[in-house]
Amino acid sequence: GAVVSQHPSRVICKSGTSVKIECRSLDFQATTMFWYRQFPKQSLMLMATSNEGSKATYEQGVEKDKFLINHASLTLSTLTVTSAHPEDSSFYICSANRDISYEQYFGPGTRLTVT
Amino acid sequence: AQTVTQSQPEMSVQEAETVTLSCTYDTSESNYYLFWYKQPPSRQMILVIRQEAYKQQNATENRFSVNFQKAAKSFSLKISDSQLGDTAMYFCAFQFTGNQFYFGTGTSLTVIP
């Protein structure tokens, strides 16, 4: 149990376009989901905390208008990178909290390449 | 502010030997959780072991154990009988109420056959 999926696993898009990444908790309800960004050989940097039915909380320095997060249901959160630029190329990872549990379950990540 | 420090960017160990990865953290919280995650080349984050701060007993999971020193704010990971599949990045993480994780910078571990 406690599986988190992400789709797509890899995406290539042209500069100036938008791309959406989905994060789903497959067998549990996630009241809170988190979005991380990871550059090569670096740690995970928290971008935002997403709560079902409310606005996401963004970390300092993360542009909320560029990285749109929607948590429409207890099993789905989406991250939309708007007007993508090459510097947005990175590995994006989501995680989800199981209700009444402190443990986070991580998705397999999405590699975004902006050309 | 919460910070997590991993002072060993890279480490290597011979297969079947034991290796210890270091982690220190800084917090004013009294109730929190500590984790070690493994990230192999697939990039999937895998939970290795976790420790509740209120528990004095060190957590153990098969070949993995921790040395949790709350007063010193230290949380090291010991891997016994290292295997080739242990080759990965290892991240120490801290979490308190609110569920937000704070990750260390990671230690790249290579197990040498």
Side-chain angles (χ1 to χ4, degrees), chain A residues 73-94:
Chain A
S73 76
L74 285 172
T75 59
L76 174 65
S77 176
T78 59
L79 167 67
T80 301
V81 182
T82 63
S83 186
H85 290 284
E87 57 265 31
D88 298 325
S89 298
S90 189
F91 194 68
Y92 293 87
I93 304 174
C94 73

Side-chain angles (χ1 to χ4, degrees), chain A residues 32 34 36 38-40 42-44 46 59 91 93 97 101-104 106-108 111, chain B residues 33 35 37 39 42-45 47 50 52 89 91 95 98-101 103-106:
Chain A
T32 307
F34 304 85
Y36 297 87
Q38 186 180 32
F39 290 108
Q42 293 190 22
S43 187
L44 282 70
L46 180 66
E59 294 299 299
F91 194 68
I93 304 174
N97 257 118
S101 168
Y102 55 81
E103 188 167 337
Q104 284 193 23
F106 287 84
R111 183 178 302 281
Chain B
Y33 305 95
F35 303 82
Y37 278 90
Q39 189 180 42
S42 68
R43 308 291 290 271
Q44 172 73 59
M45 295 288 282
L47 177 64
R50 60 172 173 251
E52 291 89 346
M89 280 289 291
F91 293 100
Q95 181 197 45
N99 297 323
Q100 182 175 343
F101 269 39
F103 285 94
T105 50

Side-chain angles (χ1 to χ4, degrees), chain B residues 54-66:
Chain B
Y54 63 85
K55 290 186 178 178
Q56 292 186 332
Q57 188 172 5
N58 289 325
T60 300
E61 286 288 344
N62 300 315
R63 297 183 295 108
F64 301 89
S65 62
V66 299

